Amino acid sequence: MLTIEQIPQTVQQVVATQRIIDMHTHLYAPSFGTPVSGKNTTTDPAGLLLWGVDELVTYHYLVAEVFRVVPATKLPYEQFWKMTKPQQADHIWQHLFVENAPISEACRGVLTTLSRLGLDPNEKSLNRYRDWFANQNASDYIDKVMQISGVEQITMTNPVFDDNERQRWLANPAIGDDPRFKAVLRIDPLLRAWPVVARKLTDWDFPAAAEPDAASIENAKHFLRHWIKLQKAIYLAVSLPPDFRYPTNDAAQTILDKVVLPVCAEFNLPFAMMIGSRLQVNPLLRDAGDMVGKSDIASLANILAAHPQNRFFVTMLARENQHELCVAARKFGNLMVFGCWWFTNNPSIIDEITRMRFELLGTTFIPQHSDARVLDQLVYKWTHSRQIIGNVLAEKFVDAAEAGLNVTRAMIEKTIDDLFRGNFKRFLAG
């Protein structure tokens, strides 16, 4: 049994060394190609694996931030987008990291990543970093990043309606065989743009009508079965807007009820719903132009109640939704709340949400995922999240000890392993 004084240090020690399954990223194996030059790496301009300092610094969080320092009245959006990626990175570095204090979470993330890679984050130019990354082999660098971040498995996001990625799978199904990565079948247009999807399915020899009839439903199911098998997908996923509602008696509900969820049940796969992104509020910012909106959890509860045979991973983007989402999870065992997504992935909000989840759900949730789009981001996102989650968990164990619980190291180790790996693996298995 640990004393109350021993608990915080023990929790932080265990959290610091805990291996992690990152259940949601936008990262890819080297077989998907990389546009970044590196040692013994073939450059693929349309490649999907992003890594290196220019990708790290031009991440869309930082693009949005730099336009607050150098607004479009001084540097028009179209002029910025005409720059090469290194030119964009130099612009961002100069204005956010050299001329101003880089204390936002996105800026701090770059500093943490560079430091943990053994680089000095105080350089006035990106050139030394570029030289360092040019000497990295992509596959070996993945191993290095996974070792530093403590991630043992990376879960990809594989949008089947993205032509670039789709063609890569069709040309080489073995593209997904890298054991470090697992595939997730992403199907947003099925629920967000059925008439467009129906035309695509027809072109791909899965005939479908603009109004989903019985034949369309069967062919859409065959389409999902085909891609689940091809990708060896471990779950299906969709991102939904804040105005998503259920029931609605429209094509989206028909496809959800009669195609997506039955196929998930058939393959014993969970369905992940990421709800609350309002796309292209400022289209001139491109990927940086999306925003957050408050979502309707009553609609989620309706889905959970209507489909008790299915399991759902759910995360929501708005801070205002987090309490109600936790309460919903208390009512539905087929709901697994996960992560602090996108605009909630900031230290003060992670702290608040994690405390609330421990208080309402005990240890039956997944506290974090990285949502990384650039490989290097695994380093800072897990470095920062480990510290916050560890601090909150230590306080909760101290609270329990003060209430009379005999807290042991074994208890702490099991709890932390459940949070970072076990809960995901068990919910995935069903």
Side-chain angles (χ1 to χ4, degrees), residues 375-416:
L375 175 67
D376 321 76
Q377 292 173 334
L378 290 180
V379 173
Y380 92 78
K381 291 199 174 189
W382 284 112
T383 298
H384 295 180
S385 288
R386 280 180 195 267
Q387 183 176 20
I388 299 164
I389 295 165
N391 288 341
V392 176
L393 186 59
E395 290 185 20
K396 295 306 174 186
F397 269 117
V398 167
D399 290 345
E402 290 176 341
L405 180 68
N406 293 332
V407 176
T408 66
R409 185 181 182 90
M411 181 189 298
I412 290 172
E413 289 174 344
K414 179 185 182 302
T415 299
I416 292 170

Side-chain angles (χ1 to χ4, degrees), residues 99-243:
E99 295 182 4
N100 290 281
I103 62 172
S104 72
E105 180 62 8
C107 287
R108 176 186 169 225
V110 175
L111 302 179
T112 296
T113 300
L114 294 172
S115 293
R116 296 214 61 198
L117 290 172
L119 302 170
D120 180 359
N122 297 289
E123 297 284 352
K124 303 304 181 186
S125 160
L126 296 176
N127 290 333
R128 288 189 182 179
Y129 307 137
R130 289 179 178 129
D131 291 343
W132 187 87
F133 280 101
N135 284 316
Q136 306 302 311
N137 170 272
S139 186
D140 293 342
Y141 184 60
I142 290 171
D143 288 337
K144 181 194 295 283
V145 168
M146 292 179 73
Q147 189 275 325
I148 293 172
S149 63
V151 172
E152 67 178 19
Q153 180 182 300
I154 297 171
T155 310
M156 300 183 287
T157 294
N158 305 98
V160 67
F161 294 99
D162 176 82
D163 288 336
N164 181 6
E165 179 165 344
R166 178 176 173 274
Q167 291 301 326
R168 292 172 188 268
W169 283 101
L170 293 174
N172 177 23
I175 199 171
D177 288 349
D178 190 316
R180 297 170 295 187
F181 294 82
K182 299 296 182 182
V184 166
L185 181 57
R186 182 74 172 256
I187 58 165
D188 293 18
L190 269 177
L191 299 184
R192 301 182 70 159
W194 171 256
V196 175
V197 166
R199 293 193 293 272
K200 285 182 176 289
L201 293 181
T202 300
D203 291 341
W204 298 339
D205 297 325
F206 297 91
E211 292 294 331
D213 55 15
S216 301
I217 289 168
E218 285 306 309
N219 286 331
K221 290 166 75 173
H222 289 319
F223 173 78
L224 287 185
R225 292 182 186 117
H226 171 78
W227 279 95
I228 288 170
K229 293 174 183 176
L230 180 64
Q231 293 183 349
K232 302 182 182 71
I234 61 173
Y235 65 84
L236 275 66
V238 67
S239 176
L240 294 168
D243 56 1

Side-chain angles (χ1 to χ4, degrees), residues 37 70-71 78 88 130 162 205 215 246 250-251 283 310 357 427 430:
S37 297
V70 184
E78 60 270 22
Q88 292 173 359
R130 289 179 178 129
D162 176 82
D205 297 325
Y246 181 97
D250 59 7
N310 286 96
R357 288 174 177 172
F427 199 75

